[in-house]
Amino acid sequence: KWRSVVENAPDTILTVDRCGKVLFANRDLPCSNGNVSINDLSLDDFIPAEHLQLVKQKVRGVFDTGEADRFEISSLKDDGGQVWCSTRLGPIIRDGRVCAVILMARDTTEHKRVEGELVRAQSELERRVEERTAALAEVNEKLRVEIAERKSAETALRDSEKLHRVILEHISD
């Protein structure tokens, strides 16, 4: 029952020993050596060279500390596209010591693509908000100038009306 769950899990699940030898994999792994028996497979056979040291360091860390860890890597596919993989590592403990490390790898390429689109959309939204804010600031400044001009005109008109009344009073006396 549990074997069926693991073998049909959507993530790639494997266990490795201290030397990086694969003890179990729930699915075929893309190997540089072609079809290799699981008995002969190691991390060197399917981890991209640019990430191999990181992966080995993380596995070694789980063996040394007994604590779970995680990492995320990206690689280029044969077609030139980019694939992202998020991997969680955990200790398998027997008789009080770490005897193997389990790695659960999930393809997060679609998640990264959507995340990238969200970042681009947010940047575009921020750019538009900045443009709108600048336009509103310009309109506000024009309104302030217009209000000041109107107030000045109103004051001049009042002063003129006062002067007109004074002249009229003076003439009528």
Side-chain angles (χ1 to χ4, degrees):
K1 180 177 171 182
W2 289 113
R3 183 172 195 80
S4 175
V5 169
V6 170
E7 287 175 351
N8 292 295
D11 297 343
T12 299
I13 301 171
L14 55 117
T15 57
V16 295
D17 67 12
R18 284 189 182 276
C19 298
K21 180 177 182 265
V22 175
L23 304 172
F24 169 82
N26 69 332
R27 61 176 40 88
D28 291 337
L29 301 169
C31 298
S32 57
N33 302 343
N35 293 335
V36 177
S37 165
I38 189 76
N39 297 328
D40 301 322
L41 197 59
S42 75
L43 292 172
D44 298 352
D45 296 317
F46 63 93
I47 301 295
E50 66 268 21
H51 302 299
L52 188 57
Q53 284 310 109
L54 169 71
V55 174
K56 285 183 173 183
Q57 174 189 353
K58 294 289 189 176
V59 168
R60 194 171 36 254
V62 174
F63 272 108
D64 292 346
T65 66
E67 294 180 13
D69 201 352
R70 64 182 331 138
F71 62 87
E72 186 173 64
I73 57 175
S74 69
S75 298
L76 292 178
K77 298 188 289 188
D78 292 338
D79 65 4
Q82 191 172 24
V83 63
W84 285 88
C85 182
S86 177
T87 303
R88 296 174 46 167
L89 302 90
I92 297 176
I93 300 172
R94 285 203 185 102
D95 299 325
R97 73 179 210 90
V98 180
C99 63
V101 171
I102 186 168
L103 292 90
M104 293 174 282
R106 173 171 289 171
D107 183 340
T108 56
T109 305
E110 180 63 13
H111 175 79
K112 286 290 188 179
R113 184 191 65 74
V114 170
E115 191 176 77
E117 286 179 11
L118 285 172
V119 167
R120 284 187 291 281
Q122 182 178 2
S123 294
E124 176 63 17
L125 181 61
E126 287 173 0
R127 185 189 63 76
R128 286 182 179 182
V129 166
E130 285 176 12
E131 285 176 358
R132 293 275 189 158
T133 301
L136 286 172
E138 187 177 318
V139 168
N140 281 341
E141 186 55 34
K142 287 179 182 178
L143 287 172
R144 277 190 206 99
V145 168
E146 186 177 330
I147 289 169
E149 288 172 353
R150 286 182 183 216
K151 283 183 179 180
S152 177
E154 285 176 13
T155 301
L157 182 60
R158 277 193 216 107
D159 290 346
S160 175
E161 287 175 350
K162 283 181 188 176
L163 183 58
H164 189 274
R165 266 188 252 128
V166 168
I167 291 173
L168 283 177
E169 283 178 11
H170 189 1
I171 293 176
S172 50
D173 282 341

